[in-house]
Amino acid sequence: MFSWRKIKNIKSIEESKAFCIKPWVHLFVSQEGTVAPCCLTPWDKKQALGDVNEQPIQEIWNGPEIRSFRKQLLADKPNSKCSQCYQNEKVGLRSKRNIVNFLYGKNYLHWVKETTRNGYSKNSKPIYWDIRISNLCNLKCRICGHHSSSSWYDDAKAIDATSYDTKIHRGPKDFDQLMDQLDVFIDDLEELYFAGGEPIIMPEHFKLLNELVKRKKFNVKLRYNTNFSQTHFKNTDLLEIWSKFDDVFIHASIDDSGDRGMLQRKGLSWNNVIENRKRMLKISPNIDFMITPTISILNIFHICEFHKNWVLEGLIEIDEFIPHVLKNPLYYNLRILPAPLKEKVKDIINNHVDWILKYIENHPPKPPKKEHLEKWKDQLDMLHINKITGHVKLDMLINELKNCIIYMNTRDETHLIPEFTKMSDQLDRLRNENTKETIPELSILWD
């Protein structure tokens, strides 16, 4: 009957080129207030699925835009909104599409299968939320901008690069109204992802967290993308609140250590980062922790050293580190490096992979929990990672490191070097910093 439908079972999801289960399980609200398929798809109103400032979420969830989107994915037809995932997969990088299909494909395949020809999904619900409350942030990272950090506002004005008229820009204009709309879905909520700005300092984040505590929804998986500069909200210790929940995962956006780390993430106290990690290990050792650095030309020469040092200092296990490659801004992209520096990067990464493989001979990583192995054993191929050690997280780490080399060499973008040096000089003057002295490997780019 539905010959147009290509997605019929788990195998068809695993082999798909375009299908993503997110529009059946995921609610993403952007810092513009728009609802998009996910954080990597366009946020503008023209391409959005709806707008929480103008429509109720229940109306958006089975509205014409999302129905049309679901229908295209069911036919496994690529959608231009999803180009970032397709591009990642083309050059061998992991994609959010593969990851979310892995996490939710098996359990919610029935929602996909019962979807009607016009994309209507009667029983599906947003069980995984990502609500970008605002751009409020206490840091102004070099690779970021005013669009995602209020702290960038003055510097952005100075270089004519503001994203909004005001320092702080809020997506949902009335957060209490949004909470009322979400009330009908909260009993089914399985996963809540907080990102920023910096979610830890947002009052709305604290309000939503307290609502879960009030309802004793401690089974909700909490996921954070945080700069890890703070573990308190005002006088409240978040480690104590997180300890009430069954599953908390902290993705710490830390790109480098010491002076290099503080140049890349202006406003960061490196001593505070170290203290926060030590305190977490002492008070809440069961919280999952992962360093998730964004790999750019600013940290590529020292990222392996950073990983090694934290492992040897006992701050992380060897597999608690998953990098991802920066795509934009283009002038921080690995592809702008000249050939001699690319060769140096290749040697650094290959040497570090050799160190990892040697290290685990005497310090094998902890095996995955038995219940996780049982749950995911038939779906690991969806991650599309090369099996090197047989340990999933470690294989992901090694794959991502090697993929830095592959991605770096896909194109020569050295013509963007003047844009990099211009931006670096501007920010160095505004922030009283010196990129060439702090990261001497890059000084050749000014020659």
Side-chain angles (χ1 to χ4, degrees):
M1 181 180 177
F2 294 128
S3 59
W4 57 274
R5 188 193 296 262
K6 304 297 183 185
I7 304 303
K8 302 174 182 179
N9 49 42
I10 285 296
K11 187 170 179 60
S12 62
I13 293 179
E14 180 186 322
E15 295 175 349
S16 69
K17 302 300 182 185
F19 177 79
C20 178
I21 201 169
K22 276 194 173 181
W24 282 266
V25 300
H26 182 53
L27 172 67
F28 172 75
V29 181
S30 78
Q31 288 161 1
E32 306 294 331
T34 51
V35 173
C38 86
C39 65
L40 295 181
T41 56
W43 297 3
D44 60 287
K45 278 192 176 186
K46 188 176 180 181
Q47 301 185 72
L49 305 175
D51 188 325
V52 298
N53 295 314
E54 298 175 1
Q55 305 161 268
I57 292 172
Q58 284 180 290
E59 178 183 303
I60 296 170
W61 189 248
N62 265 308
E65 290 81 6
I66 197 170
R67 291 202 311 269
S68 175
F69 186 60
R70 286 180 187 141
K71 183 178 177 181
Q72 190 169 1
L73 296 182
L74 282 171
D76 202 29
K77 292 181 179 179
N79 187 292
S80 60
K81 292 183 176 72
C82 307
S83 59
Q84 286 203 47
C85 278
Y86 305 150
Q87 289 169 13
N88 277 5
E89 293 164 15
K90 187 176 181 180
V91 297
L93 300 177
R94 63 191 165 105
S95 72
K96 284 187 178 290
R97 183 183 81 89
N98 287 333
I99 291 171
V100 79
N101 284 345
F102 166 71
L103 292 173
Y104 288 100
K106 184 176 182 179
N107 287 348
Y108 293 100
L109 176 63
H110 60 288
W111 284 352
V112 175
K113 291 173 69 174
E114 68 189 20
T115 303
T116 63
R117 190 180 183 90
N118 71 351
Y120 180 79
S121 180
K122 178 181 178 181
N123 295 313
S124 71
K125 305 177 184 71
I127 58 171
Y128 162 29
W129 303 353
D130 176 358
I131 300 170
R132 304 297 171 95
I133 299 162
S134 73
N135 68 335
L136 182 65
C137 189
N138 57 333
L139 304 185
K140 45 182 178 180
C141 304
R142 292 254 174 164
I143 60 173
C144 193
H146 179 221
H147 53 86
S148 294
S149 170
S150 56
S151 292
W152 248 94
Y153 184 62
D154 290 337
D155 288 353
K157 281 204 300 183
I159 61 174
D160 194 26
T162 54
S163 301
Y164 313 110
D165 295 333
T166 57
K167 181 176 182 177
I168 299 174
H169 181 81
R170 302 186 185 281
K173 303 303 181 188
D174 188 333
F175 189 75
D176 289 334
Q177 184 182 71
L178 179 65
M179 288 285 288
D180 289 341
Q181 290 187 39
L182 291 170
D183 187 73
V184 68
F185 299 117
I186 201 165
D187 285 341
D188 297 299
L189 180 63
E190 292 187 15
E191 182 171 345
L192 186 52
Y193 178 72
F194 292 105
E198 172 49 44
I200 301 301
I201 67 173
M202 295 180 183
E204 296 91 344
H205 152 258
F206 192 61
K207 183 180 290 188
L208 188 46
L209 200 58
N210 273 339
E211 184 64 25
L212 295 179
V213 172
K214 187 176 90 173
R215 294 175 182 242
K216 300 189 185 302
K217 289 281 294 178
F218 300 121
N219 62 324
V220 173
K221 301 180 184 74
L222 300 181
R223 303 288 181 262
Y224 285 84
N225 188 316
T226 168
N227 59 42
F228 205 58
S229 62
Q230 298 188 32
T231 54
H232 284 76
F233 176 74
K234 297 182 178 178
N235 295 322
T236 301
D237 187 351
L238 289 171
L239 292 182
E240 293 182 4
I241 296 181
W242 290 339
S243 295
K244 299 176 186 289
F245 287 81
D246 300 335
D247 189 344
V248 180
F249 207 134
I250 305 300
H251 299 257
S253 295
I254 310 171
D255 293 338
D256 212 329
S257 58
D259 290 341
R260 291 187 304 271
M262 291 188 289
L263 177 137
Q264 291 171 56
R265 294 188 176 267
K266 180 68 172 179
L268 183 70
S269 164
W270 186 245
N271 289 336
N272 283 355
V273 170
I274 298 292
E275 180 57 33
N276 288 342
R277 181 57 184 147
K278 288 180 176 178
R279 206 170 71 84
M280 178 179 283
L281 285 168
K282 182 178 180 180
I283 297 174
S284 308
N286 292 328
I287 290 178
D288 287 316
F289 182 82
M290 181 80 73
I291 294 179
T292 54
T294 302
I295 305 301
S296 71
I297 64 170
L298 297 172
N299 64 350
I300 189 60
F301 296 99
H302 295 277
I303 196 65
C304 296
E305 172 192 348
F306 171 36
H307 176 223
K308 182 178 181 179
N309 288 343
W310 268 50
V311 170
L312 296 179
E313 290 169 15
L315 294 171
I316 58 172
E317 297 294 330
I318 195 166
D319 60 351
E320 293 179 330
F321 193 95
I322 298 290
H324 65 275
V325 176
L326 172 139
K327 305 293 178 53
N328 289 292
L330 291 174
Y331 47 80
Y332 290 130
N333 193 297
L334 296 178
R335 297 191 294 203
I336 82 164
L337 292 172
L341 290 185
K342 285 184 176 181
E343 195 63 30
K344 184 174 182 179
V345 167
K346 179 182 174 182
D347 290 342
I348 289 171
I349 290 176
N350 285 333
N351 288 338
H352 189 59
V353 170
D354 289 343
W355 175 81
I356 291 172
L357 295 175
K358 186 174 181 179
Y359 180 87
I360 63 173
E361 289 178 4
N362 297 316
H363 307 86
K366 296 176 183 176
K369 295 177 182 177
K370 185 177 179 181
E371 59 268 30
H372 290 171
L373 280 177
E374 287 297 315
K375 183 176 181 180
W376 307 120
K377 65 180 180 180
D378 298 326
Q379 296 167 252
L380 291 176
D381 286 343
M382 287 190 196
L383 292 176
H384 297 279
I385 58 174
N386 295 322
K387 298 176 177 65
I388 300 166
T389 68
H391 186 281
V392 176
K393 286 167 62 179
L394 203 55
D395 285 348
M396 286 182 70
L397 164 59
I398 294 172
N399 271 266
E400 290 305 303
L401 289 172
K402 287 182 171 291
N403 285 338
C404 287
I405 300 173
I406 295 170
Y407 176 77
M408 175 180 69
N409 289 322
T410 55
R411 197 176 301 167
D412 180 344
E413 300 276 17
T414 49
H415 64 280
L416 294 172
I417 290 175
E419 290 188 40
F420 165 73
T421 55
K422 178 183 177 182
M423 177 61 77
S424 298
D425 289 342
Q426 288 178 318
L427 294 180
D428 282 350
R429 284 193 296 271
L430 289 168
R431 301 177 179 186
N432 193 28
E433 296 174 330
N434 191 315
T435 301
K436 287 185 282 187
E437 289 183 2
T438 307
I439 312 172
E441 292 85 356
L442 297 178
S443 59
I444 190 176
L445 301 184
W446 275 264
D447 294 343

